[in-house]
Amino acid sequence: MLNSLTIILKKLLFFIPQFSLRQSSERIQKRQAAYLPSQADILASIDLSCLISFGICGVILDLDNTIVSEDDRYLSPNAEIWIEQAKGNNIKFFLLSNGKKRYRVEYWSARLDIPAISPARKPFPKAFRRAIKHMQLQPKQVAVIGDSRHTDVLGAWLAGCTSIQVASLPHPPRWWEKLLGKYVQKPYPKGLSLWNF
């Protein structure tokens, strides 16, 4: 019975024109492109056209270990170029940082020409809502990009935004990262270039 079904299916597939198979695979690829990835290696590897096609008009960015390592040793490759290209596509930005060194956040806010809140007390949604309101957007139009599940991804979910988790730039691990790091952060891929800051 199973063998005869297989033969019938093969015969049916033989008669389907090749162009319709190509068209259906193109439709599937377009449909897949409409979904944002939930993770990326680095900020610059996120496809801007994918963000735009998904209706994203604003990005809330994490600072520490997403753009620059918290010990100021590494800079995410091409991050500043990616941000400028996104701005050229009319994407608005806002920085949210839990960092305690306010002068660092002020420096990066000025350097990137992006407003910021620090300390943001992520994942609590208050700072996310302020950023969304400042950008004059709806939560569904905003993507949160950061390296931590427990602050950036959880905060995005609580605020009603989509999120993309990037790999955490190498940095001296804090005590809780030694215990839970692999559960809350994506390790920086071996062999992927790092820029010194």
Side-chain angles (χ1 to χ4, degrees), residues 39-141:
Q39 291 190 335
D41 286 338
I42 57 173
L43 183 63
S45 68
I46 299 169
D47 186 357
L48 283 173
S49 61
C50 184
L51 283 178
I52 293 162
S53 70
F54 196 69
I56 299 299
C57 302
V59 171
I60 294 175
L61 275 176
D62 174 45
L63 178 62
D64 290 331
N65 306 321
T66 298
I67 298 172
V68 63
S69 59
E70 61 189 76
D71 59 356
D72 291 325
R73 186 171 174 194
Y74 298 113
L75 182 64
S76 182
N78 295 308
E80 292 177 276
I81 295 166
W82 185 88
I83 290 168
E84 285 307 312
Q85 289 173 343
K87 285 180 181 178
N89 283 289
N90 298 316
I91 293 177
K92 299 175 181 179
F93 282 91
F94 207 99
L95 280 175
L96 291 185
S97 175
N98 281 354
K100 291 175 176 62
K101 298 174 185 171
R102 212 172 262 179
Y103 66 89
R104 286 183 74 250
V105 179
E106 289 171 1
Y107 168 81
W108 282 100
S109 175
R111 178 172 170 152
L112 298 171
D113 192 25
I114 298 174
I117 296 174
S118 174
R121 295 181 177 85
K122 298 180 287 185
F124 298 109
K126 185 177 179 180
F128 290 92
R129 289 185 185 131
R130 279 181 59 195
I132 293 164
K133 185 177 180 181
H134 182 273
M135 291 188 282
Q136 298 178 332
L137 298 171
Q138 296 300 313
K140 66 180 180 180
Q141 296 175 292

Side-chain angles (χ1 to χ4, degrees), residues 125-172:
K126 185 177 179 180
F128 290 92
R129 289 185 185 131
R130 279 181 59 195
I132 293 164
K133 185 177 180 181
H134 182 273
M135 291 188 282
Q136 298 178 332
L137 298 171
Q138 296 300 313
K140 66 180 180 180
Q141 296 175 292
V142 176
V144 177
I145 303 174
D147 71 308
S148 296
R149 277 193 196 112
H150 67 296
T151 55
D152 305 305
V153 175
L154 178 58
W157 180 75
L158 290 171
C161 301
T162 192
S163 63
I164 301 173
Q165 183 185 17
V166 295
S168 188
L169 290 168
H171 62 280

